[in-house]
Amino acid sequence: LSAISTSSANLKLQIELDQYNSENFKQGLDNVDNYVQHLSQTINDFRNFFRPDNEQEECSLADLIERSIEIIKKSFENNEITVTIKQHKDITLYTYPHEIMQVVLNILKNAEDIFIEREIKPAELIIETREDDDNYIVAFEDNAGGIDEEIIEKIFDPYFSTKNKKNGTGLGLYMSKVIISEHCHGTLTADNTEAGARFTMTLPKQFNTKI
């Protein structure tokens, strides 16, 4: 919704400043359409969230991450947030793609919120994908100073939020952990690095590879 609001405001500003360009305007409208399609898919995801017949699909992990970034890209650009992807090789999963995207988006949005709240400049987020013998792994590292050690054990609890009531429900990370642990049989953890926070998503190959 934030991305739609930003895009529509930019389109309106182009008209008000008489800087209308048909190609740029069309691109802006395409962006809005993509955001709406994502919202529609999100509604379906929540509708199907606890359905036992929800089916896995074969998909590229890199593609899921790139599609997630594309949704929040304009907001990241406006807030001068740089994303670097370190991909050791393209990983093919057999999983729930839209649910994985929800997890990625939740982590991206949380990083954006903390960058803005703490006025971090330069704001940098590194996403690394790799695998070992048993797991596919995605790590998200920011340079925003880390998570308070007094609350780091609570951040995945339902309704726990460091944001005010207007900006946070405390359900984003909780739902993300449910998706990874109960649907993908994996883990979602958080710890601190020297520069900031790191969220690590681990997906066991046993449950996320097509047999």
Side-chain angles (χ1 to χ4, degrees):
L1 286 173
S2 176
I4 290 173
S5 177
T6 300
S7 294
S8 63
N10 287 338
L11 294 175
K12 187 182 296 184
L13 187 62
Q14 288 181 34
I15 295 175
E16 292 176 351
L17 296 179
D18 197 23
Q19 295 179 346
Y20 174 85
N21 176 285
S22 60
E23 189 61 33
N24 290 341
F25 207 84
K26 181 179 181 298
Q27 180 60 55
L29 292 174
D30 287 342
N31 289 340
V32 170
D33 184 60
N34 288 335
Y35 300 143
V36 171
Q37 293 299 320
H38 172 70
L39 283 175
S40 177
Q41 183 60 55
T42 300
I43 292 171
N44 289 332
D45 289 343
F46 278 105
R47 182 181 293 119
N48 297 329
F49 193 73
F50 291 108
R51 285 180 55 180
D53 58 345
N54 200 11
E55 295 184 357
Q56 293 171 283
E57 299 177 26
E58 193 169 67
C59 54
S60 161
L61 181 57
D63 181 58
L64 295 183
I65 292 173
E66 289 171 4
R67 285 162 58 191
S68 301
I69 292 173
E70 190 64 31
I71 290 168
I72 202 170
K73 180 179 179 180
K74 182 60 67 176
S75 184
F76 267 35
E77 290 176 352
N78 291 341
N79 290 296
E80 300 179 9
I81 299 170
T82 301
V83 180
T84 301
I85 300 176
K86 295 183 178 180
Q87 179 181 308
H88 296 279
K89 75 170 193 177
D90 191 12
I91 295 171
T92 300
L93 299 175
Y94 190 63
T95 187
Y96 306 98
H98 296 293
E99 294 186 9
I100 295 294
M101 285 181 63
Q102 288 297 327
V103 174
V104 174
L105 275 169
N106 274 328
I107 295 173
L108 294 177
K109 189 66 176 71
N110 280 351
E112 179 187 43
D113 290 343
I114 202 68
F115 282 139
I116 295 172
E117 178 185 322
R118 297 180 180 176
E119 300 180 348
I120 303 297
K121 302 289 182 182
E124 300 174 340
L125 180 65
I126 298 173
I127 304 174
E128 181 181 10
T129 64
R130 61 183 187 275
E131 64 177 299
D132 57 28
D133 290 341
D134 300 314
N135 304 289
Y136 302 119
I137 302 162
V138 187
F140 305 79
E141 294 188 27
D142 65 47
N143 66 331
I147 305 168
D148 190 332
E149 293 293 344
E150 293 183 359
I151 67 169
I152 196 169
E153 298 297 328
K154 303 177 182 178
I155 62 172
F156 293 106
D157 292 350
Y159 304 109
F160 179 82
S161 178
T162 59
K163 307 171 189 176
N164 59 43
K165 291 183 178 180
K166 179 181 178 181
N167 296 321
T169 62
L171 286 175
L173 287 177
Y174 167 70
M175 293 287 283
S176 296
K177 188 152 190 171
V178 169
I179 288 172
I180 298 303
S181 62
E182 296 189 12
H183 292 205
C184 303
H185 304 277
T187 61
L188 181 62
T189 60
D191 66 331
N192 287 321
T193 66
E194 291 185 4
R198 174 173 53 207
F199 286 84
T200 304
M201 178 171 62
T202 303
L203 305 171
K205 292 181 178 180
Q206 178 183 0
F207 299 103
N208 294 278
T209 301
K210 191 171 185 178
I211 300 174

